[in-house]
Every structure is written in C-alpha cells, then in structure tokens.
Amino acid sequence: MKFIVGNWKMNGTLDEKEAFLKALKNVKTNNKIIICMPFTLVYGNDHGITIGAQNISEHANGAYTGDISGQMLKDADVKYVLVGHSERRLYHNETNAIVKAKAIAAIKNGITPIICIGETLADKKAGRTMTVVKKMLLECIPEKCKYIIAYEPRWAIGSGKTPTLEEITAVFETIHKTLHQQGCENISLLYGGSVNSNNAKQIINIKNVDGLLVGGASLKSDTFLPIIKSID
Ligand code: PEP
C-alpha cells in the first residue's frame, strides 16, 4: 500500500469538499488516500478517503488565539496532520525546533504527523541538498518512530519542476539510512513537489518512496483521480 496525500492549502469550501468526495466515492484503489484540508473542513471523517489537517499547535491549550491543538484535532477525528510545510516555515517562521514540537504534540494525541523537509533552490545550486535535508530531518524528528516524512524540495513546489529520478533516489536513500541509524525502520517516506498524472507512477516506483504528497493537482477530482489511477 502506498500513500497518496493531497494538500488543499488555503482552498476549499464545504460544497467543493462534498463534490470532491462524491467524485472519489467509487474509486477503486489499494492505496491510502488522505486529503489534508483546511480546519473548517476536517470534521466528518466518514468517507472512503481520510481527511487530514495542515497544521497543529505545539501547545496543549491556552492563550494562543487562532491556533488549533492536538486534542481539538483528535476531537474532530483527525488521524494525520502536515507539520513543517515549507509555506508554514516561510510565512510563519516555523523553525525545525517548532516543527519537532508540533510533531510531538500530534503523536501525543494519536495523530500521525507528516513532517515536511526539503532544500531551497539556493541550497540545491550550492550542492548542499544532502546536508540540508539530513540536518532538517535530524532536527525535526521526535524520539518516537511514529511519523511520516515528506521530502519536498522547496523549488519543486508549485513550479512544475521536479528533481531527476536519480536525484530523488539519492535523497530517499539518505533519508532511509539516516532514519535507520536513529533506530526507526518502518517510516513511510513521501515525495512532494509538482506531482501530476504524468510523473506520479515513475516517482512512486523509486526505491524507498512510499507515497506522494500532492498540492495543486489534489484540488480538483479531474486532476487527482488520474494520479490515483496512474499508480494503481
Ligand atoms: C505541496 O504544497 O505540498 C505540494 C506538493 O504542492 P504542488 O504539488 O502544487 O507542487
């Protein structure tokens, strides 16, 4: 079983959610489909697909206006949450330490964090991809091996560009080895960044790639369904 995870970002109304779920209702797949929706849409996890969230507070409760705690997500029956997406790091100054704290908060509430890591274009151009990815990984992972890692090169997100298959292979090998050294054997690893129905199958067949994280192409069933079908 592979994971196909959608990230709706700040998109989606209740009508759009219902239309999307209706379109996906009868899809036959052996893979696990999770859509990380905005907080307003996470409630109601009773469909063939699993609804996840896009953020979680590192705090348990209290004076943190606008934040949503792990307990609140648990109440809404959320089972997966993205943490450390590059847009959160960029627009909300989330550091590796904050990302780790968020991952711990999720695990405490029985929610699997999908920890996002990835290098910038400047890192890539300077030949620092492996060093940056490894450092981010080690600084973001909690002690308990109860998380998913999403490798998303920042320059690949929403750009229509992806690393070569060889580059993805090398990064996943590094992530896999690093987690092994940390005593974590069965962590699922996702690739994210400009995935579409033309490249999904090739990417998911790369060694150590256990799934995909899909942004733009997950917003409409017209573009998401072909991805699901292409890898089944
Ligand atoms: C994302 O934002 O997590 C992502 C992978 O976006 P896109 O698929 O649009 O590149």
Side-chain angles (χ1 to χ4, degrees):
M1 185 205 68
K2 303 274 189 178
F3 286 91
I4 310 172
V5 183
N7 173 16
W8 275 19
K9 312 193 184 198
M10 197 173 71
N11 297 289
T13 61
L14 192 52
D15 282 351
E16 284 165 344
K17 174 184 172 182
E18 280 169 5
F20 184 89
L21 293 179
K22 201 170 159 199
L24 262 73
K25 204 169 169 214
N26 295 319
V27 67
K28 300 232 179 318
T29 176
N30 295 316
N31 299 312
K32 171 98 179 156
I33 315 290
I34 304 166
I35 307 287
C36 297
M37 295 197 177
F39 288 133
T40 49
L41 301 179
V42 294
Y43 193 73
N45 227 335
D46 54 356
H47 321 276
I49 67 166
T50 301
I51 313 276
Q54 299 171 16
N55 186 27
I56 180 172
S57 173
E58 63 272 40
H59 304 291
N61 61 278
Y64 301 102
T65 303
D67 283 348
I68 298 284
S69 72
Q71 191 184 12
M72 292 167 182
L73 292 179
K74 187 180 173 184
D75 261 2
D77 208 17
V78 165
K79 301 282 191 295
Y80 296 87
V81 64
L82 297 176
V83 296
H85 189 279
S86 66
E87 288 149 17
R88 300 283 322 167
R89 292 175 185 267
L90 186 62
Y91 304 128
H92 298 272
N93 303 317
E94 289 186 7
T95 60
N96 290 339
I98 294 173
V99 173
K100 179 174 176 175
K102 283 172 182 258
I104 292 169
I107 293 169
K108 265 191 191 150
N109 285 284
I111 298 167
T112 303
I114 302 174
I115 303 172
C116 305
I117 55 172
E119 81 284 1
T120 62
L121 187 58
D123 293 328
K124 179 178 166 57
K125 283 188 173 160
R128 289 193 298 257
T129 298
M130 291 303 181
T131 332
V132 168
V133 168
K134 200 169 165 181
K135 182 173 188 294
M136 282 179 102
L137 182 67
L138 289 172
E139 289 182 3
C140 290
I141 51 171
E143 259 176 52
K144 288 191 180 155
C145 308
K146 288 188 172 172
Y147 48 84
I148 292 173
I149 297 293
Y151 167 61
E152 300 202 293
R154 283 198 196 191
W155 53 271
I157 295 179
S159 65
K161 296 185 181 128
T162 56
T164 63
L165 300 182
E166 291 72 25
E167 284 170 333
I168 300 177
T169 307
V171 172
F172 275 72
E173 175 73 16
T174 296
I175 296 174
H176 183 76
K177 269 196 189 152
T178 307
L179 291 174
H180 174 79
Q181 284 158 4
Q182 299 302 305
C184 293
E185 294 297 341
N186 294 315
I187 304 291
S188 296
L189 309 182
L190 316 182
Y191 168 82
S194 293
V195 170
N196 57 46
S197 57
N198 296 322
N199 59 22
K201 195 179 168 82
Q202 272 190 318
I203 296 175
I204 211 150
N205 283 332
I206 295 174
K207 190 168 176 218
N208 297 315
V209 175
D210 303 302
L212 303 168
L213 179 51
V214 186
S218 73
L219 285 176
K220 298 266 178 292
S221 56
D222 290 0
T223 45
F224 196 56
L225 267 173
I227 294 178
I228 299 175
K229 288 181 182 159
S230 76
I231 63 172
D232 232 18

